[in-house]
Amino acid sequence: MIKLIASYNDEVVKAVLENALYNARYTSHQIQKEILHILSNKVRKHICEKIRNSKFCIVVDKARDESKREQMALVLRFVDIHGFIQERFLDLVHVKDTISLTLKQELCGILSRHGLDVSNIRGQGYDGASNMKGEWNGLQALFLKDCPYAYYIHCFAHRLQLALVAASREVIPVHQFFSKLTFIVNIICSSSKRHDESHAAKKDEIVHLLEIDELETGKGANQIGTLRRAGDTRWISHFSSVCSLINMYGETLTVLQKFIVDGSTYSQRGDADSAYNTLTSFEFVLILHLIKDIMGITDILCQALQKQSQDIVNAVQLVHSTKTLIQSMRDDRWEELLKNVKSFCEQHDILIPDLIASYVARQGRSRHQKDHITVEHYFRVEIFLVIIDKQLQELNSRFNDQAMDLLSLSSTLMPKDAYKNFDIAKISTLVDSYYPEDFTEQEKINLPFQLQHFILDACQHP
């Protein structure tokens, strides 16, 4: 390309390729890096000049690069001189560890190098993924000590359901449940033959139920589904996987029973037998229905938070309703869940344990148990209540009352629908409760009157 360009101009020939000055060839990797460094610094300087001494928010995320080095990315959000919200990527730094104090030192170092005052931070946001949860929570607290108005708001775009699943998997029986669920789905779906057999069994069941008028016919009704895998990075896959197993439960048992007898190798027969024993366990069925009910409640919120057009007010209301429904489930729906599980077990000939019998934690170790509890107590307290408490704890840590109140009050500033939500009293509350030191006493007195002028002018302005 250089030769082609040089062939058209004698002056260019004198300054390129073998005729070029050594330091002007720009083919050295070191020189290229220096040029990129200069350009990136100019971009950063331009971003920081726009912020100056204004308030800003930090958004931080952590990821590994191809060399497995921990990298921390920093994004700044601020309002420019024209009143528009800007979001700009500022820097990417290598961190030796993810201890909260180290992260804070790195972030403060970046801000200091670019002339940004930490005390001007007015918000911080992280995705709160389970592998960083403790560290990020510590980071929140450390920044709040230096700047009390650096309120934390959970990143709404984060896949919330994955975090909720990770929280529930802290309960050992639930972690084992998801491992066994993946094992069962893999056994059925890894073979085209077994997959087809499950479809055929489901088709026969639908035909039978239609003959005895247990199902209604109609367009799109009585579709034959398939077992779905729960993907670690696909946020709705866990709920779909649980629902698909309940829908295909009887057919899965039928295929496993056949495979236990007709499997071509001892390992296939053994795996099928292990999967069958797991499926016909009362504890597995209980957790299967419990997870379905919890995810059914949280799934609407998870989907809503993925929408870029999501209204903040609606999101806040969904968070409140989700918490309320899960708390209501904890308080009032154990008997209903137990009734449904028993009915499901009777339908599929699964042995229901004696719920009033003493529960033995480990076979042969009952004499070491200090507290003698019943089987029902174990299922209700150690599984049902603990799982729900983990979900509530996760939701409360991500969407605490302070953050929800702050979002709700801030929504009154939205210009949508000709400032439909504009509320002078709520804006004054926002100033008094959340940012009192950012305003002088005289500014607080003048604010309601200024807002009256503003809303009148804004609504009439073309």
Side-chain angles (χ1 to χ4, degrees):
M1 181 65 71
I2 296 174
K3 286 181 178 179
L4 177 64
I5 295 172
S7 67
Y8 288 98
N9 193 311
D10 293 338
E11 294 297 323
V12 175
V13 173
K14 297 176 182 179
V16 299
L17 299 175
E18 66 275 0
N19 297 324
L21 295 174
Y22 179 77
N23 290 332
R25 293 182 182 181
Y26 304 120
T27 56
S28 165
H29 180 64
Q30 181 180 352
I31 293 176
Q32 290 176 352
K33 287 185 67 174
E34 288 177 0
I35 293 172
L36 289 174
H37 183 68
I38 292 168
L39 291 173
S40 62
N41 280 341
K42 284 185 174 292
V43 172
R44 293 191 189 99
K45 184 179 179 181
H46 180 69
I47 294 170
C48 295
E49 285 176 352
K50 283 190 172 184
I51 299 175
R52 297 176 183 172
N53 293 321
S54 302
K55 314 302 179 186
F56 60 93
C57 301
I58 59 172
V59 183
V60 184
D61 197 9
K62 181 190 75 70
R64 288 183 180 180
D65 61 13
E66 287 189 354
S67 62
K68 307 299 182 185
R69 283 160 48 102
E70 296 284 359
Q71 303 281 10
M72 182 172 64
L74 173 62
V75 174
L76 301 181
R77 300 190 78 219
F78 58 94
V79 179
D80 63 18
I81 58 174
H82 303 293
F84 293 103
I85 296 175
Q86 303 289 348
E87 190 170 273
R88 295 288 180 263
F89 170 72
L90 185 70
D91 211 342
L92 181 72
V93 294
H94 167 61
V95 288
K96 294 181 179 179
D97 56 57
T98 56
I99 299 173
S100 54
L101 185 59
T102 303
L103 295 175
K104 180 177 181 289
Q105 290 173 347
E106 290 287 350
L107 288 171
C108 290
I110 295 171
L111 296 174
S112 177
R113 285 197 300 272
H114 296 97
L116 299 175
D117 191 348
V118 174
S119 63
N120 283 332
I121 297 178
R122 288 298 177 269
Q124 46 181 328
Y126 322 113
D127 62 8
S130 58
N131 64 329
M132 289 294 294
K133 184 169 58 176
E135 288 84 352
W136 286 133
N137 284 341
L139 189 58
Q140 295 173 36
L142 290 172
F143 270 118
L144 282 170
K145 288 180 182 178
D146 293 341
C147 36
Y149 300 152
Y151 300 112
Y152 168 74
I153 299 294
H154 168 74
C155 177
F156 276 15
H158 179 60
R159 291 162 177 168
L160 178 62
Q161 194 176 84
L162 293 182
L164 294 175
V165 169
S168 64
R169 292 188 76 150
E170 292 180 13
V171 185
I172 293 176
V174 179
H175 172 72
Q176 294 172 340
F177 164 81
F178 278 110
S179 299
K180 293 172 181 176
L181 175 63
T182 302
F183 177 64
I184 292 167
V185 174
N186 286 340
I187 289 177
I188 298 297
C189 296
S190 60
S191 166
S192 299
K193 180 181 177 182
R194 292 192 290 274
H195 187 267
D196 292 341
E197 286 176 353
S198 66
H199 273 212
K202 183 64 177 179
K203 181 179 178 181
D204 292 340
E205 183 196 14
I206 291 174
V207 170
H208 173 67
L209 293 174
L210 288 172
E211 289 176 348
I212 61 176
D213 294 329
E214 288 289 330
L215 291 178
E216 295 183 0
T217 59
K219 185 177 180 180
N222 308 317
Q223 297 292 315
I224 299 176
T226 186
L227 292 183
R228 299 183 181 180
R229 289 183 175 87
D232 290 336
T233 57
R234 287 180 291 136
W235 59 285
I236 198 172
S237 62
H238 293 80
F239 184 48
S240 300
S241 183
V242 168
C243 292
S244 68
L245 180 57
I246 293 177
N247 183 47
M248 299 286 291
Y249 190 86
E251 295 70 41
T252 303
L253 288 179
T254 302
V255 173
L256 289 175
Q257 284 176 320
K258 185 176 180 180
F259 201 60
I260 290 171
V261 178
D262 300 334
S264 57
T265 65
Y266 67 88
S267 62
Q268 292 177 343
R269 293 192 296 273
D271 288 344
D273 185 70
S274 175
Y276 183 85
N277 290 335
T278 297
L279 265 179
T280 53
S281 139
F282 182 83
E283 181 173 317
F284 183 88
V285 174
L286 177 73
I287 297 176
L288 180 68
H289 283 77
L290 175 57
I291 294 295
K292 179 200 170 188
D293 290 348
I294 292 176
M295 285 189 171
I297 293 173
T298 59
D299 184 59
I300 296 174
L301 173 62
C302 294
Q303 291 191 53
L305 296 182
Q306 298 299 308
K307 297 178 181 178
Q308 293 184 352
S309 60
Q310 178 63 44
D311 191 309
I312 293 177
V313 177
N314 188 40
V316 171
Q317 291 172 346
L318 277 173
V319 170
H320 285 307
S321 62
T322 300
K323 289 182 181 180
T324 302
L325 288 171
I326 293 180
Q327 184 64 49
S328 175
M329 180 179 179
R330 185 189 192 280
D331 296 337
D332 305 320
R333 290 179 58 185
W334 163 249
E335 295 296 336
E336 180 184 345
L337 173 67
L338 191 60
K339 180 181 177 182
N340 292 337
V341 172
K342 285 182 177 179
S343 175
F344 187 86
C345 290
E346 291 169 356
Q347 180 183 348
H348 296 282
D349 296 325
I350 297 172
L351 179 64
I352 301 174
D354 183 3
L355 297 177
I356 61 174
S358 296
Y359 172 74
V360 180
R362 290 289 187 273
Q363 200 66 30
R365 298 183 183 179
S366 58
R367 63 181 180 275
H368 298 302
Q369 286 184 220
K370 296 180 180 179
D371 301 322
H372 293 282
I373 60 174
T374 64
V375 174
E376 182 178 357
H377 181 276
Y378 166 73
F379 287 138
R380 185 176 66 85
V381 176
E382 302 296 331
I383 295 180
F384 177 78
L385 294 181
V386 173
I387 292 174
I388 293 178
D389 287 344
K390 289 290 183 183
Q391 301 294 296
L392 288 172
Q393 182 180 353
E394 190 71 18
L395 286 170
N396 286 330
S397 67
R398 293 172 180 275
F399 307 106
N400 56 56
D401 292 339
Q402 182 190 62
M404 291 299 98
D405 187 45
L406 180 60
L407 286 174
S408 181
L409 291 171
S410 299
S411 67
T412 61
L413 298 169
M414 291 170 58
K416 186 178 179 181
D417 298 329
Y419 290 92
K420 179 182 178 181
N421 296 322
F422 194 86
D423 190 319
I424 293 176
K426 288 184 177 180
I427 297 172
S428 298
T429 302
L430 192 64
V431 171
D432 295 333
S433 300
Y434 287 94
Y435 305 102
E437 294 182 13
D438 286 346
F439 297 83
T440 65
E441 290 301 321
Q442 189 59 45
E443 285 175 336
K444 292 177 185 177
I445 294 172
N446 293 339
L447 182 63
F449 303 104
Q450 293 172 342
L451 291 174
Q452 290 177 30
H453 286 279
F454 168 79
I455 189 61
L456 187 63
D457 292 340
C459 291
Q460 294 177 352
H461 198 283

